[in-house]
Amino acid sequence: MNSSGRHLGRTILRTLLAVLLGVVMGALGTVVHRYGDDSWYLGLVLALALTAASGVLARAWAGYGTLLGFGVGWVGIVQVLSLPGSGGDVVVPAGVLGLVWSYAGVALLAVVAFLPASWFAEVPARPRRHVA
């Protein structure tokens, strides 16, 4: 297999792993987003921070493809958990908190997509100086 084939294989693997990461982070955030009281929803803040950090990781890992994969996994699991289960219960009720969790997470992923590309470039922080 030539180097372009290996590169394509690595990119596909990274994208699939990013989808899996999106599913895990979306499920974890969905479970904890309601933690807190009416004055301070610490769970929502932590879940959104985790979503943003994971989105940055996905983009830094292999670019927009992995960020898109992460977003697909995240949105998919959040939407699935918003549907009524077999007993009629939902993990994300249709209230303000559930809407903030769903839409703010997508908005954060959009912000990550528009971060400067130079933040994700693989260049040395300082150029090397030649010692004579």
Side-chain angles (χ1 to χ4, degrees):
M1 181 181 276
N2 60 17
S3 65
S4 64
R6 274 185 258 134
H7 177 70
L8 179 62
R10 277 194 304 251
T11 302
I12 291 171
L13 178 63
R14 287 178 179 177
T15 303
L16 291 174
L17 289 173
V19 171
L20 180 63
L21 178 66
V23 168
V24 170
M25 293 301 119
L28 181 64
T30 300
V31 170
V32 302
H33 84 279
R34 297 183 57 83
Y35 175 77
D37 57 12
D38 289 334
S39 64
W40 176 244
Y41 283 102
L42 178 62
L44 179 64
V45 172
L46 293 175
L48 290 172
L50 183 66
T51 299
S54 299
V56 168
L57 170 76
R59 181 167 172 205
W61 199 8
Y64 289 113
T66 51
L67 178 61
L68 180 63
F70 176 83
V72 165
W74 190 92
V75 168
I77 195 66
V78 169
Q79 293 306 309
V80 165
L81 292 173
S82 298
L83 297 172
S86 61
D89 294 334
V90 293
V91 181
V92 183
V96 173
L97 196 59
L99 292 174
V100 169
W101 164 238
S102 298
Y103 290 115
V106 172
L108 282 172
L109 292 178
V111 167
V112 169
F114 287 104
L115 291 175
S118 63
W119 291 8
F120 303 97
E122 293 184 26
V123 295
R126 256 181 317 180
R128 293 184 180 169
R129 290 186 280 163
H130 297 287
V131 178

